[in-house]
Amino acid sequence: MPDARPGEASAADAEAALARVVSGFAATIALLLALAVPAMHAWSAWREENAAMRAEVRVIAHGITQMATRMPDLWIYQDARLRGLLHAGDGTDSSLWVQDLDGKVRAQVVMDLAWPRQQLREPVYDSGTVVGAAVIERSLRPMLWRTAVVAVLALLAAAGAYAALRMLPLRMLQRAIGRATYLATHDQLTGLPNRRLFHDRLAQAALRASRYGTGFAVLALDLDRFKEVNDTLGHAAGDELLRQVANALGATLRDSDTLARLGGDEFAIIQSNAEQPRSAEALAARLVERLSLPFELHGNLAHIGTSIGIALSGPVAEGAETVAGEQVLHDADTALYRAKAEGRSTYRFFSAEMNQALQERREMERDLREAVAGGQLRLHYQPQVDLATQRVVGLEALLRWAHPRRGLVMPDRFIALADEVGLLNRIGEWVLLEACATAKRWPGQRMAVNISANHFQSNDFLRAVRHALETTGLDPERLEIEITEGVLLTDTDRTLATLGALREMGVSVAMDDFGTGYSSLGYLHKFRFDKIKIDRSFVHSLSNDPQSMAIIRAVIAITQALGLRCNAEGVESAAQAAMLRAEGCTEAQGWLYGRAVPEYELHVLIGATQDRAA
């Protein structure tokens, strides 16, 4: 017999307790009905019988009293008349008699009455003095028979009431509890088991593994580029995507597998009763292939993909099932991080060395949060030089992290992590404010600030730019926002609206790393940038690669035709600078003119550049 799952056992216990409560309530109501109706009928019938007997005996007593008033010596000479009065009030079911004060019967009409019997008496008066009594007696058996019939009918009604009160409310309550239990253990959007139920199933899989030696695999899935769908198509499209993904995953699994949505775009699978690791790898490959296909969302095609981490269960000790199951899930999450770090849309099996990498990542995340809160971030500035005059015309703000143990950390080591943990926009706002404050202290210099795609697409970006300008008092014309082509690939209308708002503020916009993407020319047609920056990869091979030279010439020609400034990054030699100047490039930056330095070293750096120009 299969073991009951923990969630199912608790639900069964709750239903059994509910059944006992409802049954007790129904039994109480049925018992009250079975007892109260006959009792009420008996009481009512007895009162009616009692009232009828008393009325009859009073009439007879009144007649005898009148006779005594008209005729003295009632008991001696009036026996016949007394019997006449009794016969006049006689019923077929009553015995009547008249007795004196000594209890001697003077006249009577007697019936054979069955037991039990009820008797009532009424006094007889003569000149205001009691001289005897009129007595009536009837059998109570007919009333009891009627009450018995009522009792039988009430018992039948009570049985029906018991059945109705037990079954109907119990079904309704069971349905309500079942619905509440479902909502508590399932994701409302996709209908899949949620994190709570998944952990129950995980403990059950570990329990089977400890008892029967059967292993299982856990696959942790995270959708790639899901945030882009939410940002570009809206949350309604994101919800629809999650529903379609859930259906696609469910169609790929066996009935014995458990699929759950743990939250957001995170899913998890328990694969039992399969040959491992071959089955888990085959399943992961199928899932990666299936989710690489486009999903149609309200007329738009969304291309996402998935990263998968796989962990296999080992031997499970008895009594440690819950801990063992949680460890397998933790290992699958660790493998998932590795899959995402190695390019996404792939899968990775957990290995012991991954724990060290994950530990380092978590330590880096903790340190980064402390850095943002504790002021460990720094800005260094690299000069941008006019190639014609060789004078510094601008500064590019470059982010650094002054780590207390690791020294100066470059942004490529922590920017992606900051984006994952939700710190990137906060860092971007700080960079804008700090760079504008520095530019205010260096009159005549433009300040270029790199903006990430996520920060640019956020609702707070324009507010952050306005706040930085208003707080520092910097002329908007001296601020230059640098964006990459990746910014332009999503949400075209919103992107162009943001670019237009920057233009209205007076802030210039530069396209960074031009030529490394695939949509540059189309966006140059839609929006007039102020400057285009040639990527350092082309400048580096300028002197020995004819193709790089051809690309640079084409980019410079585009900027000249559109009346834009052109900046070449990564200039390291005077020969490269001369070639760029000869081709018509207007600006350059690189080690030839100085590395990025803290603000307090700018005087020396700019002074040296100006001296070379002179």
Side-chain angles (χ1 to χ4, degrees), residues 390-471:
Q390 294 295 301
R391 294 192 174 275
V392 178
V393 294
L395 302 169
E396 181 177 358
L398 299 173
L399 183 63
R400 303 289 186 264
W401 176 8
H403 196 283
R405 297 186 306 277
R406 305 184 187 190
L408 207 61
V409 182
M410 296 294 117
D412 59 348
R413 296 274 308 280
F414 64 87
I415 286 298
L417 177 60
D419 190 11
E420 287 183 22
V421 300
L423 292 174
L424 190 56
N425 288 1
R426 184 177 172 185
I427 292 174
E429 292 178 5
W430 176 84
V431 169
L432 275 170
L433 188 61
E434 185 70 13
C436 289
T438 301
K440 185 68 176 178
R441 295 189 288 270
W442 290 84
Q445 303 292 341
R446 286 192 312 272
M447 180 61 69
V449 179
N450 291 282
I451 300 298
S452 69
N454 285 344
H455 191 196
F456 187 88
Q457 297 289 357
S458 72
N459 295 328
D460 292 334
F461 171 65
L462 291 175
R463 179 198 57 77
V465 173
R466 292 190 183 95
H467 175 70
L469 293 173
E470 292 171 359
T471 302

Side-chain angles (χ1 to χ4, degrees), residues 71-207:
M71 301 174 184
D73 301 322
L74 173 67
W75 307 127
I76 300 174
Y77 304 107
Q78 304 299 329
D79 292 356
R81 292 192 176 189
L82 286 173
R83 285 193 296 273
L85 283 174
L86 294 178
H87 281 292
D90 180 26
T92 58
D93 56 354
S94 302
S95 290
L96 300 168
W97 64 88
V98 179
Q99 62 187 36
D100 58 21
L101 290 177
D102 296 329
K104 183 179 180 180
V105 175
R106 297 295 185 174
Q108 64 180 354
V109 176
V110 180
M111 301 291 295
D112 185 14
L113 300 176
W115 186 91
R117 297 184 291 270
Q118 180 181 4
Q119 186 182 101
L120 289 178
R121 62 181 57 240
E122 193 70 22
V124 174
Y125 297 91
D126 184 0
S127 302
T129 302
V130 177
V131 294
V135 182
I136 186 171
E137 187 176 63
R138 288 183 183 177
S139 174
L140 295 178
R141 184 170 293 183
M143 183 193 73
L144 293 178
W145 276 114
R146 291 194 299 271
T147 301
V149 172
V150 171
V152 171
L153 295 176
L155 187 62
L156 294 175
Y162 175 79
L165 290 174
R166 188 182 185 279
M167 298 304 296
L168 294 180
L170 185 59
R171 288 180 180 176
M172 294 174 63
L173 289 172
Q174 285 176 333
R175 189 178 299 114
I177 288 180
R179 179 61 178 168
T181 302
Y182 179 85
L183 293 177
T185 57
H186 288 75
D187 174 53
Q188 296 186 37
L189 179 64
T190 62
L192 296 177
N194 61 11
R195 183 180 294 273
R196 176 183 175 184
L197 183 55
F198 180 80
H199 283 283
D200 284 345
R201 300 280 177 86
L202 193 60
Q204 188 67 20
L207 181 62

Side-chain angles (χ1 to χ4, degrees), residues 294-327:
F295 291 87
E296 183 177 353
L297 307 173
H298 310 306
N300 298 290
L301 289 180
H303 297 266
I304 49 170
T306 184
S307 301
I308 304 176
I310 310 171
L312 306 178
S313 68
V316 179
E318 186 175 355
E321 293 85 359
T322 300
V323 175
E326 297 295 336
Q327 184 60 49

Side-chain angles (χ1 to χ4, degrees), residues 580-593:
L580 290 167
R581 183 171 56 251
E583 294 297 331
C585 184
T586 55
E587 295 178 10
Q589 64 186 90
W591 290 356
L592 176 63
Y593 306 105

